[in-house]
Amino acid sequence: MIELEGLPELVDPVLIAAFEGWNDAGEASSGVISHLESAWKAEPLVAMDPEDYYDFQVTRPVVEMGDGLTRSIVWPTTRLSVARPPGTERDVVLLRGIEPNMRWRSFCDEIVGVCHELGIELALMLGALLNDSPHTRPVPIVGAATDDGLARSINLELTRYEGPTGIVGVLQDAFGTAGLKAVSLWASVPHYVAQAPNPKATLALLRRIEDVLDIPMPLGDLVEEARAWETGVDELASQDSEVAEYVKELEERKDAAELPEASGDAIAAEFERYLRRRDGETDS
């Protein structure tokens, strides 16, 4: 169980959460949390007891070397940290975990309890899935929300997926049942280049978070890394005629499905992001 005593009082906090494993194609969603923890210099809050939720023969602890020959064990778990983004007046709680092996309902109840204790009323759940999206096009972001009004307010393209779900879907449902607002954002990762990392998908999630929260996201080197990743995949595809032909087919299918007004919406959204980042740099 998480020890709730001593948790700080936060200002209008929001939760951004991602889990490694089934929900994290190309490590795109967990990459968002790692990036924000570093960029915002997040401070640790609490960690869950791994004994309750992890099978250590499935999700094994790892050995790390410290100074000299000092060795330590790092146990698989879920951790929360907190940061105050520059130029903002609210706190952001970052949750990074590994999808638990057991007791999912108790796991979600614990996280919901911590969110209530911290005063969190909105949670953004991040995921990434393998899809037939071409790597040369903008990364599609779809999602779900705890209510239709919330989805409309953020112009969320709703997924119609039905089938097996991961901890992201279960935790979102737990938030809704507890009366908290929750949104899940899923990035589509090309199935033919599923290797991690995928900076282009991570970048797409960050930009969508920026739209939802109206908080400038620190992009750092991700823009250049995303370009380099796409160039590298281009080169690999060009070396295999079957892959190149398949990518071309995906591009044609994607372009044919795009509505004319989509380009205008994308341009408007990108301009709004530019203004937010410019204002944020001015304030900081």
Side-chain angles (χ1 to χ4, degrees):
M1 296 289 291
I2 291 180
E3 178 57 59
L4 297 181
E5 292 183 6
L7 291 180
E9 290 189 14
L10 304 181
V11 177
D12 191 21
V14 61
L15 176 75
I16 305 176
F19 294 88
E20 300 172 21
W22 190 86
N23 314 265
D24 193 27
E27 297 180 2
S29 56
S30 62
V32 170
I33 305 301
S34 297
H35 178 79
L36 293 179
E37 286 175 337
S38 176
W40 286 340
K41 297 179 173 57
E43 297 289 336
L45 273 178
V46 292
M48 302 183 76
D49 186 346
E51 291 281 348
D52 296 330
Y53 304 112
Y54 295 96
D55 179 345
F56 298 137
Q57 290 183 323
V58 177
T59 308
R60 290 184 178 271
V62 298
V63 176
E64 289 189 353
M65 297 295 296
D67 296 334
L69 298 178
T70 303
R71 299 161 67 90
S72 61
I73 300 294
V74 178
W75 295 92
T77 189
T78 293
R79 295 179 171 85
L80 290 85
S81 58
V82 64
R84 174 72 61 85
T88 66
E89 299 298 326
R90 73 185 310 183
D91 292 307
V92 177
V93 175
L94 302 171
L95 181 154
R96 180 174 179 177
I98 303 169
E99 185 173 67
N101 304 119
M102 51 198 174
R103 301 187 184 92
W104 283 22
R105 287 179 290 186
S106 298
F107 178 88
C108 292
D109 287 344
E110 274 208 63
I111 292 177
V112 170
V114 173
C115 288
H116 275 307
E117 186 75 14
L118 292 172
I120 292 170
E121 297 182 353
L122 173 64
L124 296 188
M125 314 290 299
L126 307 180
L129 52 91
L130 296 178
N131 208 334
D132 58 355
S133 303
H135 72 279
T136 54
R137 298 295 185 265
V139 177
I141 303 289
V142 298
T146 47
D147 66 77
D148 292 340
L150 176 58
R152 286 193 298 271
S153 69
I154 60 174
N155 297 315
L156 180 64
E157 181 180 347
L158 296 176
T159 177
R160 296 185 177 277
Y161 171 79
E162 292 181 316
T165 190
I167 195 63
V168 170
V170 175
L171 183 54
Q172 179 177 330
D173 182 74
F175 279 130
T177 301
L180 301 179
K181 296 179 180 179
V183 175
S184 61
L185 302 174
W186 289 84
S188 293
V189 172
H191 64 82
Y192 57 88
V193 56
Q195 298 88 343
N198 187 318
K200 186 172 181 178
T202 295
L203 179 63
L205 284 169
L206 278 167
R207 284 175 164 160
R208 195 66 180 93
I209 294 169
E210 188 173 80
D211 294 339
V212 173
L213 297 182
D214 197 24
I215 294 176
M217 291 291 111
L219 303 182
D221 296 330
L222 275 173
V223 175
E224 289 302 318
E225 290 173 4
R227 290 196 188 106
W229 175 86
E230 185 171 332
T231 299
V233 178
D234 285 341
E235 293 174 355
L236 289 174
S238 68
Q239 298 170 12
D240 188 318
S241 59
E242 291 186 1
V243 173
E245 184 62 31
Y246 179 64
V247 172
K248 182 180 178 182
E249 178 185 331
L250 291 179
E251 290 172 338
E252 292 173 350
R253 191 187 312 168
K254 176 70 173 177
D255 294 343
E258 289 289 342
L259 296 174
E261 61 268 21
S263 297
D265 291 342
I267 292 171
E270 186 60 36
F271 183 63
E272 289 177 1
R273 293 187 195 107
Y274 163 75
L275 292 177
R276 267 195 298 268
R277 281 194 287 273
R278 186 194 65 178
D279 292 344
E281 291 170 358
T282 302
D283 295 337
S284 58

